[in-house]
Amino acid sequence: MAELADEEGELFIDNTLENADIRHPARIFERWSDYVKRQSLKKKIIGVVVFTVLGAGAIVFLVFHSQILKMIDMLCEQLSDMRGGYLLFMLLLTATSFPPIVGYTAVVTISGIVFGFWKGFFLSSFATCFSSLACFITFRKFFAQFAKRLAEHNRTFGSFASTLQHDGLTLLWMIRMSPLPFSLSNGALSTVPTITPRNFFLATLLSCPKLMIHCFIGSRFRSLTDDELDTTSKIINYCSILAGISFGVASGYIIYNRMSRRAMQVRSRFE
């Protein structure tokens, strides 16, 4: 057990995000450079493709932003007026809460675009709590081996999961607040026998405020589709979107670091 704890401790110590100091951008860049160099050729190719696609998408949006925003506004109007529109988004949020399906964060952001900040937030929070609980119970009872493979495949989560056996609600809440893949954590957390469905539901409920960031970004993006907005208002909305993204990244970074320290503190008590 001690050897396993030592091995897992090394994973935390070697983690790029944990070692980087947010007060020193040059140090963060250096550590990320080292991290990229350690990756396999396959992962490097995937990274280049992803950044190329994102860059191309950004260029297309800058060139055709007026047409794209008008099209988005039309789609949002149709979805918000559609009978069963709320149910459709609840089903999408439920589907993306089950691994290996991805896209949960995108659906939450789109709910902010379609329904606005508050409606999108309450809709996402309600669907998140109950779909996560459904995933947790389903994987614990029927897909335990698959969930175990998911947890073992992700080294970082595997380290946290082993610590959760000795910690209570605090670390579990931090994991729900962290930027770890949402659907993966729903399934993988079901493999930790000390986590009860009640605590899992409570931790998920307490982590719902983080959805405000995504819904806020979505609602600001929707406001850009208004043709009557003057240049100043558009600049303010763009700045609000960038501020929301920056706040989300910074809060995720801080929570992840604190979660890592908490896990190491709990592990040290049981070595």
Side-chain angles (χ1 to χ4, degrees):
M1 187 69 181
E3 293 177 359
L4 179 60
D6 292 339
E7 180 182 351
E8 291 168 350
E10 291 176 4
L11 294 179
F12 286 110
I13 295 171
D14 188 56
N15 189 280
T16 302
L17 288 176
E18 184 181 2
N19 285 330
D21 190 341
I22 195 171
R23 294 169 298 181
H24 301 284
R27 188 177 301 172
I28 295 176
F29 178 77
E30 180 182 349
R31 293 192 182 279
W32 271 113
S33 298
D34 293 338
Y35 174 78
V36 171
K37 291 177 182 178
R38 293 198 303 267
Q39 302 308 304
S40 64
L41 179 61
K42 179 181 177 181
K43 290 184 177 180
K44 289 179 181 178
I45 293 174
I46 293 174
V48 170
V49 171
V50 170
F51 278 105
T52 301
V53 171
L54 291 175
I59 293 173
V60 170
F61 180 78
L62 289 173
V63 175
F64 302 103
H65 66 278
S66 298
Q67 297 90 327
I68 293 174
L69 290 174
K70 287 181 181 179
M71 183 177 64
I72 291 174
D73 186 49
M74 291 176 57
L75 290 173
C76 289
E77 288 291 340
Q78 294 175 3
L79 288 171
S80 60
D81 295 337
M82 184 179 65
R83 293 182 61 183
Y86 290 103
L87 180 60
L88 172 63
F89 271 86
M90 289 181 68
L91 291 174
L92 287 173
L93 286 166
T94 300
T96 53
S97 296
F98 282 73
I101 303 174
V102 296
Y104 168 80
T105 302
V107 176
V108 174
T109 305
I110 293 173
S111 70
I113 296 175
V114 175
F115 301 110
F117 175 68
W118 286 112
K119 287 184 179 180
F121 169 67
F122 286 118
L123 172 67
S124 300
S125 299
F126 179 83
T128 292
C129 290
F130 289 98
S131 62
S132 297
L133 182 62
C135 176
F136 179 86
I137 294 174
T138 300
F139 272 76
R140 173 163 288 185
K141 290 186 176 296
F142 303 107
F143 303 103
Q145 292 302 317
F146 178 65
K148 186 177 180 180
R149 288 197 299 270
L150 285 175
E152 292 174 347
H153 182 71
N154 189 299
R155 294 170 57 191
T156 301
F157 185 86
S159 301
F160 291 130
S162 64
T163 310
L164 277 167
Q165 299 182 33
H166 307 295
D167 197 22
L169 189 62
T170 303
L171 182 58
L172 178 58
W173 170 75
M174 286 182 174
I175 289 178
R176 301 308 281 163
M177 286 289 292
S178 74
L180 291 173
F182 186 75
S183 61
L184 168 64
S185 64
N186 285 338
L189 285 171
S190 67
T191 64
V192 183
T194 55
I195 300 178
T196 63
R198 181 184 68 85
N199 281 353
F200 179 83
F201 180 85
L202 182 58
T204 303
L205 178 64
L206 293 174
S207 69
C208 283
K210 72 176 184 179
L211 302 180
M212 288 184 172
I213 299 173
H214 307 297
C215 293
F216 173 78
I217 293 172
S219 65
R220 292 301 88 202
F221 189 82
R222 174 70 184 275
S223 66
L224 292 172
T225 63
D226 188 355
D227 293 331
E228 297 181 359
L229 280 181
D230 56 25
T231 303
T232 302
S233 299
K234 288 184 178 181
I235 292 174
I236 292 174
N237 280 321
Y238 276 118
C239 291
S240 298
I241 292 173
L242 291 175
I245 294 173
S246 300
F247 180 78
V249 172
S251 60
Y253 173 89
I254 293 170
I255 290 172
Y256 186 90
N257 276 349
R258 292 186 177 181
M259 179 176 65
S260 299
R261 288 197 295 269
R262 171 72 178 180
M264 295 180 70
Q265 290 171 0
V266 172
R267 180 180 292 108
S268 65
R269 295 203 301 264
F270 291 90
E271 288 182 347

